Amino acid sequence: MFHTPREMRSIPDDPSRNEGVKTHCPYCALQCGMRIAGSPAEPSISGDPDFPVNRGSLCIKGWSSGATLAHPERLTTPLVRNLRGFLDPASWDEALDRTVAGFRAAQARGGCDAVGLFGSGALTNEKAYLLGKFARIALGTRMIDYNGRFCMSSAAAASNRAFGVDRGLPFPLSDIAHADVVLLVGSNVAETMPPIVQYFEAQRARGGKLIVVDPRRSVTALAADLHLRLAPGTDAALAHGLLHLLVRDGAIDTKYIRERTEGFDHVRAAVARYWPERTESLCGVPEAELVLAARLLGHADTVMVLTGRGPEQQSHGVDHATAYIHLALALGMVGKPHAGYGCLTGQGNGQGGREHGQKADQLPGYRRIDDPAAREHVARVWGVDPGSIPGAGESAYEMLDSIGEADGIRALWVVGSNPAVSAPNARRIEARLRELDFLAVSDFFRSETAEMADVVFPAAQWAEESGTTTNLEGRVILRRRAFSPPPEVRTDLTILCDLAARLGKGELFASSDPEHVFDELCRASAGGVADYSAMSYGAIEAQGGLFWPSPRLFAERFPTPTGRARFHPVRDVHPAEEPNESYPLYLTTGRVLAQYQSGTQTRRVPALTKLAHEPLAELHPAVARRHGIADGDVITLTTRRGRAQFAAKVTASIREDTVFVPFHWGGERSANRLTNDALDPTSRMPEFKVCAVRIERTVARDANAANPAKGPGV
């Protein structure tokens, strides 16, 4: 079972608390139901036992989420940079006028595409939709993308390739509890989304088996029946090796493959070369463990394959995810109750955020922007000529990296994101951001990106506005407003409409009311892959959430031209960068329980910083001995892109050839100053999860000080 410290466990609902307003957590893609009462200064938060996803449980982040509402560092007025280079409080008129002037000046110099917008998987569906519309209609620019490109894009591309549709989980979370075997790849759910653990515990209680694939012996891996500790960057080799064994042992579902899929013969030929001895040499997983894993998978009636960011955030992440999808298809599990393939979406609205138009190549409803019929439909809803809608723009990293180039963006508006910390090769991106003619940021706090801005807009927080999000199951839920925002704080929808009016497009952005915007989104999505046209706030609230198009997909056919799922041969390709004499170890990154994303919110919450106040670099005892490093020593990690300093945590839970660092901090402790900006050729996902690194001790730990590497919950 999951033997975790109390801080990692879900915190049950307290029935003695005031029921308050029913809403949802602002953090991960579970979108746990919660109740909030009291006041912004003293919010009372409890889990909602009626919401079927978390059933009353909350993790430490959800439980403490109200601490940001009246935080002393909260942005409560617009800021504008003065002639001396400082950010000063300003009126809304000044901030908005300065922003419009910045946009117009950039477009006068470089054309429409000289202005870019960078959105977020944390934005509600309404915000993501209106941001995409604003970019294309108010600014006429192609250059819009969002931080979800750094998160779910590889699994999304793999699902589209195989199934013809991308939905994180094509089945309800509750199905996990009924799977005979779960293969969980590259995800430490016990820390990243603790309320989901109840489903894994129920699965184990029913006699189910859990196989975890991860270079680290994480809290989740400790609870597994089998832990496959692969070398970073070798996921496709591992998946190929498992499929080789399933084919060899006659454990595949030939009837399903024949009747419901196409292309398997090419994949079977490709995996023929991955006999167990060779697979072990490629990925470092012992042959005996490979055979045991294949036996568990092949003998089970129901198998669920779940991937997280581990295999996906790589320069061949689409191929890695596709290789794991092949396992689920070959076993005949996709579309079967309590089985199949799913992606554990990370950000709060990671699913909806990629459905309604803030991606560079998409229009609302998950439509392709280069599809003439899609352009015609959306243009009709927007009341514009289809020819006025620009084409596809650049992906998130490529857009940021274009700053300073002759044809790159000159002005940028960042909404709810912090790319100075979250982008790979972060020092390069920070330098690029400083080259902008104009930068605007909408946020709750002065993030590392906001500190470089010319204008900062104070945005309403999750409990101060209503809106919908779509969780990892494809369940569209409604966050209800509990409190009014501070007097000088506006919602992102209001800011979008205010800017559109100043740009002469006010008639096309007539309402900032989230329900009105949602109704328009539903019309724009009608007929698309992600069709919300039958939804309304009333129906969502009455039913506790609505699925598109249904809770379970693929029972009878796949939304592909032939109605069949598609096997797609993929190569086992090495990472873009591997260890050598100069950089002898792998570096991999990830999350810890008490922090979230770039840490803009969580690093300001005392209950969370008490648990994780600094990033710890995990390294194997053998590596520590070679470098004379003890627990708590300050070490410097160096890659081809930069250097960063961390406190050392010496632990046998990490592979000897690998160093792990969490990515929630900025500045000199930024893991993303080290990560590789090599991009997947299909998804344009950067290779966050693997690069080559060297290590050296910088400062010995003070023997009289408390050892940070021994802190609770880390």
Side-chain angles (χ1 to χ4, degrees):
M1 301 298 285
F2 290 78
H3 299 291
T4 57
R6 182 184 183 280
E7 292 84 358
M8 291 188 183
R9 296 177 192 157
S10 301
I11 298 173
D13 178 52
D14 180 354
S16 68
R17 293 184 177 184
N18 184 355
E19 182 169 307
V21 175
K22 286 191 174 187
T23 187
H24 293 269
C25 180
Y27 291 115
C28 83
L30 290 178
Q31 287 297 278
C32 292
M34 60 168 52
R35 296 167 176 174
I36 183 167
S39 68
E42 295 184 7
S44 172
I45 290 178
S46 57
D48 180 1
D50 298 326
F51 188 60
V53 171
N54 59 307
R55 299 187 290 195
S57 295
L58 295 174
C59 76
I60 186 71
K61 290 190 291 292
W63 178 74
S64 62
S65 56
T68 62
L69 297 174
H71 195 282
E73 296 178 25
R74 171 84 187 271
L75 288 168
T76 56
T77 184
L79 303 176
V80 172
R81 194 166 299 280
N82 63 29
L83 295 176
R84 294 178 293 119
F86 298 105
L87 286 169
D88 283 341
S91 69
W92 273 99
D93 283 339
E94 183 181 359
L96 293 166
D97 288 344
R98 178 83 170 268
T99 300
V100 169
F103 290 165
R104 284 176 168 160
Q107 291 185 323
R109 291 186 60 191
C112 288
D113 292 340
V115 176
L117 282 79
F118 194 95
S120 170
L123 302 182
T124 62
N125 290 317
E126 294 81 359
K127 294 179 185 181
Y129 167 78
L130 208 64
L131 191 68
K133 178 181 176 181
F134 178 87
R136 280 125 187 167
I137 301 306
L139 290 172
T141 180
R142 297 181 302 117
M143 305 301 277
I144 175 172
D145 211 75
Y146 80 128
N147 63 13
R149 183 75 68 171
F150 298 160
C151 196
M152 288 77 61
S153 59
S154 287
S159 293
N160 280 321
R161 173 193 276 177
F163 309 135
V165 67
D166 155 42
R167 201 177 85 185
L169 295 184
F171 42 75
L173 274 168
S174 56
D175 277 15
I176 294 172
H178 302 278
D180 291 338
V181 174
V182 175
L183 178 66
L184 179 62
V185 186
S187 181
N188 180 17
V189 293
E191 291 196 67
T192 59
M193 44 180 63
I196 203 176
V197 167
Q198 62 187 295
Y199 297 106
F200 289 93
E201 290 182 332
Q203 186 247 357
R204 302 290 302 288
R206 287 185 169 92
K209 302 296 184 181
L210 174 63
I211 305 170
V212 169
V213 178
D214 199 314
R216 301 169 67 217
R217 191 186 301 121
S218 65
V219 175
T220 305
L222 284 169
D225 297 278
L226 179 61
H227 175 206
L228 306 181
R229 200 188 299 196
L230 82 171
T234 63
D235 285 279
L238 174 61
H240 288 350
L242 292 174
L243 184 53
H244 173 100
L245 288 166
L246 293 171
V247 172
R248 185 197 72 178
D249 297 341
I252 60 174
D253 188 334
T254 55
K255 183 176 184 290
Y256 179 96
I257 292 170
R258 182 175 64 254
E259 295 179 354
R260 299 211 56 197
T261 75
E262 56 193 14
F264 179 67
D265 287 344
H266 298 292
V267 170
R268 178 166 52 191
V271 303
R273 301 171 53 245
Y274 289 83
W275 52 89
E277 300 89 345
R278 181 168 185 263
T279 302
E280 178 179 347
S281 70
L282 291 171
C283 67
V285 176
E287 178 182 348
E289 294 181 4
L290 295 169
V291 171
L292 176 57
R295 185 177 300 125
L296 290 171
L297 295 169
H299 290 177
D301 290 331
T302 54
V303 172
M304 190 175 288
V305 180
L306 303 174
T307 62
R309 304 297 81 74
E312 300 162 15
Q313 287 182 318
Q314 301 189 36
S315 60
H316 296 280
V318 177
D319 286 349
H320 292 314
T322 300
Y324 286 115
I325 287 173
H326 289 165
L327 292 173
L329 286 174
L331 289 166
M333 296 295 164
V334 182
K336 186 176 182 178
H338 311 140
Y341 167 80
C343 160
L344 293 175
T345 302
Q347 294 190 80
N349 196 28
Q351 182 69 50
R354 63 187 186 262
E355 293 174 353
H356 297 301
Q358 67 172 331
K359 281 185 73 176
D361 55 355
Q362 287 181 201
L363 289 172
Y366 219 134
R367 288 180 163 92
R368 290 180 58 93
I369 201 167
D370 58 1
D371 178 358
R375 296 169 65 84
E376 176 69 33
H377 172 83
V378 173
R380 188 163 55 249
V381 174
W382 287 352
V384 300
D385 186 283
S388 68
I389 300 176
E394 301 292 337
S395 72
Y397 185 82
E398 290 166 303
M399 179 173 67
L400 295 173
D401 198 41
S402 77
I403 299 168
E405 303 295 330
D407 58 350
I409 60 172
R410 297 175 178 272
L412 179 67
W413 182 16
V414 177
V415 184
S417 188
N418 187 15
V421 173
S422 62
N425 199 357
R427 288 192 68 126
R428 178 180 176 87
I429 294 305
E430 182 179 338
R432 293 293 201 191
L433 291 171
R434 294 187 186 282
E435 292 184 44
L436 285 164
D437 294 344
F438 177 80
L439 173 62
V441 172
S442 296
D443 213 324
F444 317 137
F445 297 102
R446 288 176 65 154
S447 68
E448 287 82 355
T449 304
E451 290 292 352
M452 294 184 278
D454 298 285
V455 172
V456 180
F457 296 124
Q461 292 196 43
W462 59 283
E464 300 166 348
E465 59 183 354
S466 295
T468 62
T469 63
T470 308
N471 82 344
L472 76 170
E473 312 163 292
R475 187 194 302 261
V476 182
I477 54 95
L478 178 61
R479 288 186 192 164
R480 277 296 187 190
R481 175 172 132 166
F483 308 120
S484 297
E488 288 299 305
V489 170
R490 297 185 182 181
T491 69
D492 290 313
L493 294 179
T494 299
I495 299 169
L496 281 160
C497 291
D498 289 344
L499 287 171
R502 281 169 162 77
L503 290 164
K505 301 291 184 178
E507 73 281 2
L508 301 177
F509 296 80
S511 177
S512 62
D513 178 86
E515 189 166 4
H516 292 166
V517 175
F518 185 75
D519 289 344
E520 183 181 309
L521 177 160
C522 291
R523 296 196 304 274
S525 73
V529 174
D531 187 340
Y532 285 25
S533 60
M535 298 186 189
S536 67
Y537 273 26
I540 293 169
E541 192 163 40
Q543 299 184 47
L546 296 173
F547 289 91
W548 70 262
S550 62
R552 292 183 179 85
L553 307 183
F554 315 138
E556 297 179 359
R557 60 175 283 118
F558 294 91
T560 63
T562 64
R564 295 168 176 259
R566 298 171 290 209
F567 283 93
H568 187 99
V570 296
R571 295 181 300 149
D572 162 33
V573 180
H574 295 293
E577 185 177 283
E578 292 194 280
N580 59 16
E581 290 185 3
S582 299
Y583 302 93
L585 300 171
Y586 290 107
L587 173 69
T588 192
T589 66
R591 287 169 51 189
V592 295
L593 166 76
Q595 298 294 339
Y596 185 72
Q597 301 299 79
S598 72
T600 300
Q601 294 164 260
T602 53
R603 282 187 276 128
R604 290 175 164 86
V605 177
L608 301 179
T609 56
K610 181 180 179 181
L611 294 175
H613 67 278
E614 65 175 333
L616 304 177
E618 296 183 9
L619 58 151
H620 193 273
V623 174
R625 284 194 298 271
R626 289 199 298 270
H627 293 82
I629 295 169
D631 261 351
D633 285 355
V634 177
I635 63 173
T636 298
L637 299 181
T638 304
T639 69
R640 291 175 175 86
R641 288 151 297 282
R643 298 158 60 89
Q645 292 188 342
F646 307 94
K649 180 181 180 181
V650 180
T651 172
S653 67
I654 192 75
R655 286 175 56 99
E656 187 173 341
D657 59 2
T658 303
V659 178
F660 169 84
V661 178
F663 55 67
H664 311 291
W665 284 264
E668 296 300 322
R669 302 186 297 176
S670 170
N672 280 325
R673 290 192 172 190
L674 309 174
T675 50
N676 197 349
D677 52 9
L679 303 179
D680 183 285
T682 301
S683 67
R684 314 311 287 166
M685 166 76 81
E687 190 150 65
F688 289 102
K689 281 294 183 275
V690 53
C691 66
V693 67
R694 67 170 177 259
I695 184 172
E696 60 184 298
R697 189 180 75 167
T698 306
V699 179
R701 175 175 61 89
D702 181 353
N704 296 317
N707 186 352
K710 300 293 188 182
V714 182

Coordinates of all heavy atoms in Angstrom, one line a residue, residues 211-251:
I211 N 2.3 -1.9 -11.7 CA 3.7 -1.9 -12.2 C 4.1 -0.4 -12.4 O 3.3 0.3 -13.1 CB 3.8 -2.7 -13.5 CG1 3.3 -4.1 -13.4 CG2 5.3 -2.6 -14.0 CD1 3.2 -4.8 -14.7
V212 N 5.1 0.0 -11.8 CA 5.6 1.4 -12.0 C 6.9 1.5 -12.8 O 7.8 0.7 -12.5 CB 5.7 2.1 -10.6 CG1 6.4 3.5 -10.8 CG2 4.4 2.3 -10.0
V213 N 6.9 2.3 -13.8 CA 8.1 2.6 -14.6 C 8.6 3.9 -14.2 O 8.0 5.0 -14.5 CB 7.8 2.5 -16.1 CG1 9.1 2.7 -16.9 CG2 7.2 1.1 -16.4
D214 N 9.8 4.0 -13.7 CA 10.4 5.3 -13.2 C 11.9 5.1 -12.9 O 12.2 4.1 -12.3 CB 9.6 5.8 -12.0 CG 9.8 7.3 -11.7 OD1 10.9 7.8 -11.8 OD2 8.8 8.0 -11.5
P215 N 12.7 6.1 -13.2 CA 14.1 6.0 -12.8 C 14.3 6.1 -11.3 O 15.3 5.7 -10.8 CB 14.8 7.1 -13.5 CG 13.9 7.5 -14.6 CD 12.5 7.2 -14.1
R216 N 13.3 6.7 -10.6 CA 13.4 6.8 -9.2 C 12.5 5.8 -8.4 O 11.4 5.5 -8.9 CB 12.9 8.2 -8.8 CG 13.6 9.4 -9.4 CD 12.9 10.7 -9.1 NE 12.8 11.0 -7.7 CZ 11.8 11.6 -7.1 NH1 10.7 11.8 -7.7 NH2 11.8 11.9 -5.8
R217 N 12.9 5.5 -7.2 CA 12.0 4.7 -6.4 C 11.2 5.7 -5.6 O 11.5 6.1 -4.4 CB 12.8 3.8 -5.4 CG 11.9 2.8 -4.7 CD 12.7 2.0 -3.6 NE 13.8 1.2 -4.2 CZ 15.1 1.4 -3.9 NH1 15.4 2.3 -2.9 NH2 16.0 0.7 -4.4
S218 N 10.2 6.3 -6.3 CA 9.4 7.3 -5.7 C 8.4 6.7 -4.7 O 8.4 5.5 -4.5 CB 8.6 8.0 -6.8 OG 7.7 7.0 -7.4
V219 N 7.7 7.6 -4.0 CA 6.6 7.1 -3.1 C 5.7 6.2 -3.8 O 5.3 5.1 -3.2 CB 5.9 8.3 -2.4 CG1 4.8 7.8 -1.6 CG2 6.8 9.2 -1.6
T220 N 5.3 6.5 -5.0 CA 4.4 5.6 -5.8 C 5.1 4.3 -6.1 O 4.5 3.2 -6.0 CB 4.0 6.4 -7.1 OG1 3.4 7.6 -6.8 CG2 3.0 5.5 -7.9
A221 N 6.4 4.4 -6.5 CA 7.1 3.1 -6.9 C 7.2 2.2 -5.7 O 7.2 1.0 -5.8 CB 8.4 3.5 -7.5
L222 N 7.4 2.8 -4.5 CA 7.5 2.0 -3.3 C 6.2 1.1 -3.0 O 6.3 0.1 -2.4 CB 7.8 2.9 -2.1 CG 9.2 3.4 -1.9 CD1 9.2 4.5 -0.8 CD2 10.2 2.3 -1.6
A223 N 5.1 1.6 -3.5 CA 3.8 0.9 -3.3 C 3.6 -0.1 -4.4 O 2.6 -0.9 -4.3 CB 2.7 1.9 -3.2
A224 N 4.4 -0.2 -5.4 CA 4.2 -1.1 -6.6 C 4.5 -2.5 -6.3 O 5.4 -2.8 -5.4 CB 5.0 -0.6 -7.8
D225 N 3.8 -3.4 -7.0 CA 4.2 -4.8 -7.0 C 5.5 -5.0 -7.7 O 6.3 -6.0 -7.4 CB 3.1 -5.7 -7.6 CG 1.8 -5.6 -6.8 OD1 1.7 -6.3 -5.8 OD2 0.9 -4.8 -7.2
L226 N 5.8 -4.2 -8.7 CA 7.0 -4.3 -9.6 C 7.4 -2.9 -10.0 O 6.6 -2.1 -10.5 CB 6.7 -5.2 -10.8 CG 7.8 -5.4 -11.8 CD1 9.0 -6.1 -11.1 CD2 7.4 -6.2 -13.0
H227 N 8.7 -2.6 -9.8 CA 9.2 -1.3 -10.1 C 10.3 -1.5 -11.2 O 11.3 -2.1 -10.9 CB 9.8 -0.6 -8.9 CG 10.5 0.7 -9.3 ND1 11.5 1.3 -8.5 CD2 10.3 1.6 -10.3 CE1 11.9 2.4 -9.0 NE2 11.2 2.6 -10.1
L228 N 10.0 -1.0 -12.4 CA 11.0 -1.1 -13.5 C 11.8 0.2 -13.6 O 11.3 1.2 -14.0 CB 10.3 -1.3 -14.8 CG 9.3 -2.5 -14.9 CD1 8.7 -2.7 -16.3 CD2 10.0 -3.8 -14.5
R229 N 13.0 0.2 -13.1 CA 13.8 1.4 -12.9 C 14.7 1.6 -14.2 O 15.9 1.3 -14.2 CB 14.7 1.3 -11.7 CG 15.2 2.7 -11.2 CD 16.2 2.6 -10.1 NE 15.8 2.0 -8.9 CZ 16.4 2.1 -7.7 NH1 17.5 2.8 -7.6 NH2 15.9 1.4 -6.7
L230 N 14.0 2.1 -15.2 CA 14.7 2.3 -16.5 C 15.7 3.5 -16.5 O 15.5 4.4 -15.7 CB 13.7 2.4 -17.6 CG 13.0 3.8 -17.9 CD1 12.2 3.7 -19.2 CD2 12.2 4.3 -16.7
A231 N 16.6 3.5 -17.5 CA 17.4 4.6 -17.7 C 16.6 5.7 -18.4 O 15.8 5.4 -19.2 CB 18.6 4.2 -18.5
P232 N 16.8 7.0 -18.0 CA 16.1 8.1 -18.6 C 16.3 8.0 -20.2 O 17.4 7.8 -20.7 CB 16.7 9.3 -18.0 CG 17.2 8.9 -16.7 CD 17.7 7.5 -16.9
G233 N 15.2 8.3 -20.9 CA 15.2 8.3 -22.3 C 15.1 7.0 -23.0 O 15.2 7.0 -24.3
T234 N 14.8 5.9 -22.3 CA 14.7 4.6 -23.0 C 13.3 4.0 -22.9 O 13.2 2.8 -23.0 CB 15.7 3.7 -22.3 OG1 15.3 3.5 -20.9 CG2 17.1 4.2 -22.3
D235 N 12.3 4.8 -22.9 CA 10.9 4.3 -22.8 C 10.5 3.5 -24.0 O 9.9 2.4 -23.8 CB 10.0 5.5 -22.6 CG 10.0 6.0 -21.2 OD1 9.4 5.5 -20.3 OD2 10.7 7.1 -21.0
A236 N 10.8 3.9 -25.2 CA 10.4 3.2 -26.3 C 11.1 1.8 -26.3 O 10.4 0.8 -26.7 CB 10.8 3.9 -27.6
A237 N 12.3 1.7 -26.0 CA 13.0 0.4 -25.9 C 12.3 -0.5 -24.9 O 12.1 -1.7 -25.2 CB 14.5 0.6 -25.5
L238 N 11.9 0.0 -23.7 CA 11.3 -0.8 -22.7 C 9.9 -1.3 -23.3 O 9.6 -2.5 -23.1 CB 11.1 0.0 -21.5 CG 10.2 -0.6 -20.4 CD1 10.9 -1.9 -19.9 CD2 10.0 0.3 -19.2
A239 N 9.1 -0.4 -23.8 CA 7.8 -0.8 -24.4 C 7.9 -1.8 -25.5 O 7.2 -2.7 -25.6 CB 7.0 0.5 -24.8
H240 N 8.9 -1.6 -26.4 CA 9.2 -2.5 -27.4 C 9.5 -3.9 -26.8 O 9.1 -4.9 -27.3 CB 10.3 -2.1 -28.3 CG 10.0 -0.9 -29.2 ND1 8.7 -0.4 -29.4 CD2 10.7 -0.1 -30.0 CE1 8.7 0.6 -30.2 NE2 9.9 0.8 -30.6
G241 N 10.4 -3.9 -25.8 CA 10.8 -5.2 -25.2 C 9.6 -5.9 -24.6 O 9.5 -7.1 -24.7
L242 N 8.7 -5.2 -23.9 CA 7.5 -5.8 -23.4 C 6.6 -6.4 -24.4 O 6.1 -7.5 -24.3 CB 6.8 -4.8 -22.5 CG 7.5 -4.4 -21.2 CD1 6.7 -3.3 -20.5 CD2 7.7 -5.5 -20.2
L243 N 6.4 -5.6 -25.5 CA 5.6 -6.1 -26.6 C 6.2 -7.3 -27.3 O 5.5 -8.2 -27.7 CB 5.3 -5.0 -27.6 CG 4.3 -5.3 -28.8 CD1 3.0 -5.8 -28.2 CD2 4.1 -4.1 -29.6
H244 N 7.5 -7.3 -27.4 CA 8.2 -8.5 -28.0 C 7.8 -9.7 -27.2 O 7.5 -10.8 -27.7 CB 9.7 -8.3 -27.9 CG 10.5 -9.4 -28.3 ND1 11.1 -9.6 -29.6 CD2 10.9 -10.6 -27.6 CE1 11.7 -10.8 -29.6 NE2 11.6 -11.3 -28.4
L245 N 7.9 -9.6 -25.9 CA 7.6 -10.8 -25.0 C 6.1 -11.2 -25.1 O 5.8 -12.4 -25.1 CB 7.9 -10.4 -23.5 CG 9.4 -10.4 -23.2 CD1 9.7 -9.7 -21.9 CD2 10.0 -11.8 -23.2
L246 N 5.2 -10.2 -25.2 CA 3.8 -10.5 -25.3 C 3.5 -11.3 -26.6 O 2.7 -12.2 -26.7 CB 3.0 -9.3 -25.3 CG 3.0 -8.5 -23.9 CD1 2.3 -7.2 -24.0 CD2 2.3 -9.4 -22.8
V247 N 4.2 -10.8 -27.7 CA 4.0 -11.5 -29.0 C 4.6 -12.9 -28.9 O 4.0 -13.9 -29.4 CB 4.7 -10.7 -30.1 CG1 4.7 -11.5 -31.4 CG2 4.0 -9.4 -30.3
R248 N 5.8 -13.0 -28.4 CA 6.5 -14.3 -28.3 C 5.7 -15.3 -27.5 O 5.7 -16.5 -27.9 CB 7.9 -14.1 -27.6 CG 8.8 -15.3 -27.5 CD 9.9 -15.2 -26.5 NE 9.4 -15.2 -25.1 CZ 10.2 -15.1 -24.0 NH1 11.5 -14.9 -24.2 NH2 9.7 -15.2 -22.8
D249 N 5.1 -14.9 -26.4 CA 4.4 -15.8 -25.6 C 2.9 -16.0 -26.0 O 2.1 -16.6 -25.2 CB 4.4 -15.3 -24.1 CG 5.9 -15.2 -23.6 OD1 6.7 -15.9 -24.2 OD2 6.1 -14.5 -22.6
G250 N 2.5 -15.4 -27.1 CA 1.1 -15.6 -27.5 C 0.1 -14.9 -26.7 O -1.1 -15.3 -26.6
A251 N 0.5 -13.8 -26.0 CA -0.4 -13.1 -25.0 C -1.2 -12.0 -25.7 O -1.9 -11.3 -25.0 CB 0.4 -12.7 -23.8

